[in-house]
């Protein structure tokens, strides 16, 4: 498999935060970074032009959903997902493992893989580590993910016990070995990342990381967080396992999170993030700003002439008022979802850019203090 030539250029002396870069077939990535989620080959409500203007470096596609629709025959005709969706920068694809977690009663897990009832038409489908690697090879993603089982925080309302978590992560380890084997058989030179599981148990996280590291992946991800656990448990596990990940490889925290989560996690040594939150919240009128979160449906914004965030340079903030965006939200106009999404994605990507600059200038700790102070001000009260 590929060697990423991952290079750490700056290390914060007071935390595990770091500034790094690495090269992929479709471009170089600068970390820490946030990856917008494009499940079906599109980041909802945004064009590739919007993403370029927001300085997106890489986006995500979902193996499972693209397998169902439009199907591999269609994407294969285009030589992969990049040309099909008109995106010329790197793409990371999820393996389909999260659907093992999220589809619940629609799936059955065995040693061989997972049998699904298609959420589209009810057809019986089967995905295994080998199938996942074959799909991701056709998608030609710059970073593929191993097929794994995401351990739930709770099972039937009860904290998933240590024995169950260990059985699950050992299955993921065996699937990881099969993922690597099949990826190599397919002569793939793109990157393949492994996923550390282990639930809320530090000893199992260490065990999973030890075995994943031995398997020889190009990067390491942390899975099984932001799956419903209380914030103190999230922080406890991330503080424990994040700094233990190999220093010479990219570290990816899957499915996280709020702006505060991102800043906290960078301090634990994480390089890469993804989350549907900025676009999902945007469609629901929940905007992230330097001065806290703004909920557009509040009546107080009906005549507010200010932009969402006076400090923001996105297309939305430079051209439209809170009053207009409030109006679009109230009447459910498509333009509202687009403008809100442009802003939220720009906010997330700009936040990561500011973090990178603070690391380059050796003032990450000061950045964190100012960030936290500003976010507490609130969008009604900023100057």
């Amino acid at each position: 498999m590929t060697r990423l030539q991952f290079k750490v250029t700056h290390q914060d002396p007071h935390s595990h935060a770091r500034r790094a870069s690495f090269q992929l077939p479709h471009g170089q990535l600068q970390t820490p970074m946030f990856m917008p989620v494009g499940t079906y080959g599109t980041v909802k409500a945004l064009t590739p032009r919007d993403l370029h203007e927001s300085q997106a470096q890489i986006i995500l596609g979902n193996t499972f959903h693209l397998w169902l629709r439009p199907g591999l025959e269609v994407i294969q005709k285009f030589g992969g997902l990049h040309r099909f969706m008109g995106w010329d920068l790197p793409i990371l694809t999820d393996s389909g493992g999260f659907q093992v977690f999220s589809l619940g009663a629609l799936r059955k897990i065995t040693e061989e893989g997972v049998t699904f009832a298609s959420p589209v038409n009810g057809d019986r489908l089967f995905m295994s580590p080998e199938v996942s690697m074959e799909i991701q090879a056709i998608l030609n993603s710059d970073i593929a993910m191993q097929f794994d089982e995401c351990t739930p925080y709770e099972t039937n309302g009860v904290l998933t016990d240590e024995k169950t978590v260990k059985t699950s992560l050992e299955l993921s380890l065996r699937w990881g070995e099969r993922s690597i084997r099949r990826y190599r058989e397919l002569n793939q030179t793109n990157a393949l990342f492994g996923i550390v599981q282990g639930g809320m148990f530090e000893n199992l996280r260490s065990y999973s990381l030890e075995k994943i590291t031995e398997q020889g992946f190009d990067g390491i991800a942390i899975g099984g967080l932001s799956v419903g656990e209380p914030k103190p448990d999230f922080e406890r596990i991330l503080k424990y396992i994040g700094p233990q990940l190999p220093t010479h490889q990219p570290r990816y925290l899957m499915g996280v999170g709020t702006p505060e989560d991102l800043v906290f996690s960078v301090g634990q040594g994480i390089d890469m993030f993804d989350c549907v939150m900025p676009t999902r919240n945007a469609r629901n009128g929940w905007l992230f700003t330097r001065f806290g979160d703004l909920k557009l449906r509040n009546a107080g914004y009906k005549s507010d002439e200010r932009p969402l965030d006076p400090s923001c340079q996105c297309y939305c903030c430079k051209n439209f008022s809170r009053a207009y965006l409030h109006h679009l939200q109230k009447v459910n106009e498509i333009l509202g979802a687009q403008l809100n999404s442009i802003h939220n994605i720009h906010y997330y990507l700009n936040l990561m850019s500011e973090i990178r600059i603070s690391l380059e200038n050796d003032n990450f700790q000061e950045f964190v203090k100012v960030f936290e102070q500003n976010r507490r001000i609130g969008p009604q009260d900023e100057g």
Side-chain angles (χ1 to χ4, degrees):
M1 289 185 291
T2 183
R3 299 276 74 85
L4 294 177
Q5 297 181 333
F6 181 77
K7 182 180 180 182
V8 176
T9 57
H10 298 83
Q11 176 70 59
D12 177 45
H14 306 291
S15 72
H16 301 283
R18 60 190 195 163
R19 171 82 169 84
S21 65
F22 61 99
Q23 184 70 37
L24 292 172
H26 289 87
Q28 187 176 68
L29 301 183
Q30 305 294 327
T31 73
M33 66 178 183
F34 180 83
M35 303 179 284
V37 176
T39 301
Y40 288 97
T42 172
V43 179
K44 290 186 186 299
L46 298 179
T47 68
R49 180 181 61 196
D50 296 328
L51 293 167
H52 278 295
E53 290 177 354
S54 295
Q55 304 298 308
Q57 302 180 60
I58 179 174
I59 61 173
L60 269 68
N62 183 272
T63 295
F64 176 79
H65 289 295
L66 291 167
W67 178 42
L68 299 184
R69 294 180 295 186
L72 300 183
E73 288 186 8
V74 174
I75 295 176
Q76 199 162 22
K77 288 181 179 180
F78 288 80
L81 187 55
H82 288 87
R83 179 167 168 256
F84 179 65
M85 64 178 292
W87 176 252
D88 58 355
L89 295 180
I91 295 174
L92 181 149
T93 46
D94 185 9
S95 67
F98 187 74
Q99 277 62 49
V100 174
F101 168 78
S102 65
L103 289 179
L106 295 177
R107 48 73 169 154
K108 179 181 178 182
I109 303 171
T110 66
E111 183 69 34
E112 286 305 305
V114 184
T115 302
F116 294 92
S118 169
V120 177
N121 56 18
D123 286 352
R124 302 300 291 175
L125 301 169
F126 178 73
M127 182 175 281
S128 65
E130 291 78 12
V131 171
S132 177
M133 295 305 103
E134 290 159 8
I135 296 170
Q136 291 184 80
I138 289 172
L139 297 176
N140 194 29
S141 51
D142 297 73
I143 300 175
M145 301 300 297
Q146 75 151 99
F147 191 62
D148 72 322
E149 181 187 9
C150 178
T151 311
Y153 171 69
E154 293 179 335
T155 303
N156 298 323
V158 178
L159 178 67
T160 306
D161 63 87
E162 185 172 355
K163 181 179 178 181
T164 301
V165 174
K166 190 170 191 293
T167 298
S168 173
L169 79 84
E170 287 180 334
L171 177 63
S172 289
L173 290 173
R174 294 191 294 274
W175 283 356
E177 292 176 352
R178 288 166 57 188
S179 295
I180 288 180
R181 187 181 312 123
R182 184 57 181 147
Y183 210 61
R184 288 173 175 162
E185 290 172 354
L186 294 167
N187 295 315
Q188 288 297 295
T189 57
N190 293 348
L192 179 63
F193 282 22
I195 303 174
V196 173
Q197 293 289 352
M200 299 296 109
F201 303 96
E202 285 93 343
N203 61 315
L204 296 184
R205 289 285 177 176
S206 292
Y207 172 72
S208 178
L209 175 58
E210 177 187 353
K211 298 301 181 182
I212 286 287
T213 302
E214 292 173 357
Q215 290 178 348
F217 289 98
D218 298 304
I220 305 291
I222 299 173
L225 288 179
S226 195
V227 292
E229 75 279 358
K231 187 68 69 175
D233 285 329
F234 165 81
E235 294 181 352
R236 170 175 59 86
I237 292 299
L238 188 58
K239 280 182 178 179
Y240 177 78
I241 199 64
Q244 293 188 46
L245 269 59
T247 59
H248 66 285
Q249 291 181 317
R251 299 162 165 176
Y252 169 25
L253 179 57
M254 305 180 74
V256 175
T258 66
E260 287 76 11
D261 289 337
L262 300 187
V263 173
F264 171 81
S265 301
V266 166
Q268 310 311 312
I270 302 301
D271 305 303
M272 303 168 61
F273 303 89
D274 81 279
C275 191
V276 298
M277 185 172 287
T279 47
R280 177 179 291 170
N281 283 23
R283 297 191 303 278
N284 293 319
W286 184 306
L287 285 303
F288 297 97
T289 82
R290 187 179 300 271
F291 305 103
D293 298 346
L294 185 154
K295 299 176 183 178
L296 274 176
R297 286 190 175 270
N298 289 354
Y301 299 124
K302 184 175 182 179
S303 302
D304 195 331
E305 299 180 58
R306 293 174 295 176
L308 290 171
D309 184 338
S311 69
C312 181
Q313 295 300 305
C314 78
Y315 173 76
C316 177
C317 286
K318 287 196 293 185
N319 291 279
F320 302 99
S321 67
R322 296 176 181 184
Y324 182 61
L325 297 170
H326 169 86
H327 161 70
L328 294 178
Q329 187 70 27
K330 295 291 282 187
V331 297
N332 296 315
E333 274 292 343
I334 294 172
L335 179 60
Q338 183 179 17
L339 293 175
N340 294 348
S341 297
I342 286 172
H343 169 76
N344 271 0
I345 285 295
H346 183 276
Y347 171 82
Y348 267 62
L349 296 176
N350 187 65
L351 173 63
M352 302 312 289
S353 174
E354 291 181 347
I355 290 174
R356 292 194 296 271
I357 292 170
S358 76
L359 288 166
E360 292 168 6
N361 295 332
D362 297 321
N363 64 354
F364 176 67
Q365 297 304 315
E366 180 61 27
F367 169 85
V368 173
K369 291 179 183 178
V370 173
F371 164 81
E372 293 175 346
Q373 290 169 358
N374 283 341
R375 288 279 292 167
R376 286 194 292 265
I377 291 174
Q380 292 279 22
D381 305 315
E382 86 279 8

